[in-house]
């Protein structure tokens, strides 16, 4: 279960970050991209946290 949550977090992060880096090359406006990057990091780390919390409960019974 932990591997699932880690994989989902990384998948969401890279699925969102690759198009953003492609768009940065074509657009000069970089202000909103910082906020998108922070949001993707929060989502990824939230998935990591959920995975560690759920796994801890399963194996410490």
């Amino acid at each position: 279960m932990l591997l699932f949550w880690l994989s989902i977090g990384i998948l969401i992060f890279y699925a969102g970050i690759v198009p953003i880096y492609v768009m940065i090359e074509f657009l000069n406006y970089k202000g909103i991209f910082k906020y998108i990057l922070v949001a993707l990091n929060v989502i990824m780390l939230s998935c990591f946290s959920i995975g560690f919390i759920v796994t801890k409960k399963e194996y410490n019974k």
Side-chain angles (χ1 to χ4, degrees), residues 2 7 18 20 27-28 56 58-59:
L2 177 62
S7 300
V18 169
I20 290 187
L27 302 174
N28 290 330
K56 182 179 178 185
E58 283 183 6
Y59 292 112

Side-chain angles (χ1 to χ4, degrees), residues 5-7 9 12-13 15-16 19 22 26 31 35-36 40-41 43 45 47 50 52 54 56 59:
W5 284 105
L6 295 176
S7 300
I12 290 171
F13 178 77
V22 170
F26 296 114
Y35 296 112
I36 295 172
L40 288 171
N41 277 321
I43 292 169
L45 294 176
C47 288
I50 290 169
F52 284 120
V54 169
K56 182 179 178 185
Y59 292 112

